[in-house]
Amino acid sequence: MIVTIDGVAASGKSSVASGVARALQVPYISSGLLYRGATLLGLQAGLDLHDARALLVTLQAQPLRLEPLAEGNRVWHAEQDVTEQLHSTRMDRGVSVVAALPEVRAWVDAQLRALEAPFVAEGRDMGTNVFPQAPAKFYLTASPRIRAERRARERPEDVPAIEAALILRDQLDAAQSAPATDAVVIDTGPLTLEGVIEAILAHLPARVPSA
Ligand SMILES: Nc1ncnc2c1ncn2[C@@H]1O[C@H](COP(=O)(O)OP(=O)(O)OP(=O)(O)O)[C@@H](O)[C@H]1O
Ligand SMILES: Nc1ccn([C@H]2C[C@H](O)[C@@H](COP(=O)(O)O)O2)c(=O)n1
């Protein structure tokens, strides 16, 4: 079975996907990390992040590997674990530019579709575009202020600055971020992390991770 968890930036997708996947004893896949990895390679190579052709040449010459560990996905570039470099304000600014490129989206989609089910996949378009056949789809929301307050515990910037950046990223990512028509939408604002995970588990057709 494939479970998709999409939603706006910092709505809890990766934390929730990790918890749901652990409960189901299956891997989870954080698709945003592939977009972040592509952005890192582009920045390291000094590329214009709007240049899809140059980015694709770089991605093909220096492949990225997503390692779907239960405690948190890792991204490898050659023999180096680059995961820690993928979450910063600089990366957040660049990644929406890269994720808007159809050529890069096709590259990410191909990596994801090559993975063997069962798994939980989180991102923006898992339920709409990448795995439309998934039998269980969820979409997480929360107000920008609540998301910024949560994120402020992980970043040096203050809540208003984080909130403004989240609102901007929501706008830049809007084209690929609509919920699937058959997704269960969950406002995570009033819920704890465990509460969101339980709500999703309660909606699943069966807690048996079959293909
Ligand atoms: N329901 C919740 N209650 C309290 N804190 C939460 C909840 N859900 C997520 N968090 C916290 O909010 C922060 C953002 O969560 P997370 O990184 O999982 O979001 P995300 O949607 O994957 O983010 P991004 O879009 O940037 O990849 C984390 O610190 C996480 O622990
Ligand atoms: N399926 C996806 C996953 C991610 N993106 C974009 C949107 C974000 O700006 C960026 C990083 O994702 P995050 O780590 O915040 O989940 O990648 C996308 O367009 N489609």
Side-chain angles (χ1 to χ4, degrees):
M1 182 167 76
I2 297 175
V3 177
T4 63
I5 301 179
D6 291 305
V8 289
S11 55
K13 300 179 299 294
S14 53
S15 314
V16 169
S18 172
V20 170
R22 264 180 280 147
L24 296 176
Q25 296 183 289
V26 301
Y28 85 96
I29 314 294
S30 188
S31 59
L33 287 182
L34 285 173
Y35 290 104
R36 289 175 183 273
T39 307
L40 179 70
L41 291 201
L43 289 172
Q44 283 179 341
L47 302 180
D48 172 358
L49 294 183
H50 297 87
D51 187 345
R53 212 181 135 89
L55 270 171
L56 272 193
V57 169
T58 304
L59 284 170
Q60 275 149 11
Q62 310 174 37
L64 292 166
R65 185 169 62 85
L66 184 68
E67 188 181 18
L69 297 179
E71 62 272 22
N73 283 201
R74 313 298 298 179
V75 175
W76 292 82
H77 174 221
E79 296 305 307
Q80 200 193 347
D81 181 347
V82 296
T83 318
E84 299 308 319
Q85 300 173 55
L86 301 181
H87 284 99
S88 65
T89 303
R90 179 177 179 236
M91 201 60 63
D92 283 355
R93 278 197 213 108
V95 69
S96 292
V97 174
V98 171
L101 301 171
E103 296 87 344
V104 175
R105 300 202 71 77
W107 176 83
V108 169
D109 293 354
Q111 313 282 315
L112 298 171
R113 292 188 183 121
L115 299 168
E116 197 178 329
F119 53 75
V120 177
E122 64 92 354
R124 300 296 190 292
D125 62 344
M126 297 299 97
T128 48
N129 172 48
V130 184
F131 302 115
Q133 78 283 12
K137 302 180 185 177
F138 300 89
Y139 191 90
L140 306 186
T141 66
S143 71
R145 178 49 64 117
I146 284 180
R147 288 184 276 142
E149 284 169 355
R150 291 172 179 167
R151 183 115 289 167
R153 295 181 207 125
E154 313 171 308
R155 296 275 171 95
E157 292 86 4
D158 62 15
V159 171
I162 295 173
E163 184 180 18
L166 285 175
I167 290 170
L168 177 63
R169 198 143 68 93
D170 287 350
Q171 288 165 355
L172 294 172
D173 295 334
Q176 66 268 22
S177 300
T181 50
D182 51 348
V184 176
V185 178
I186 300 176
D187 178 0
T188 74
L191 299 174
T192 62
L193 190 50
E194 294 69 29
V196 181
I197 294 165
E198 269 310 310
I200 288 181
L201 292 173
H203 269 99
L204 293 183
R207 292 195 181 191
V208 183
S210 57

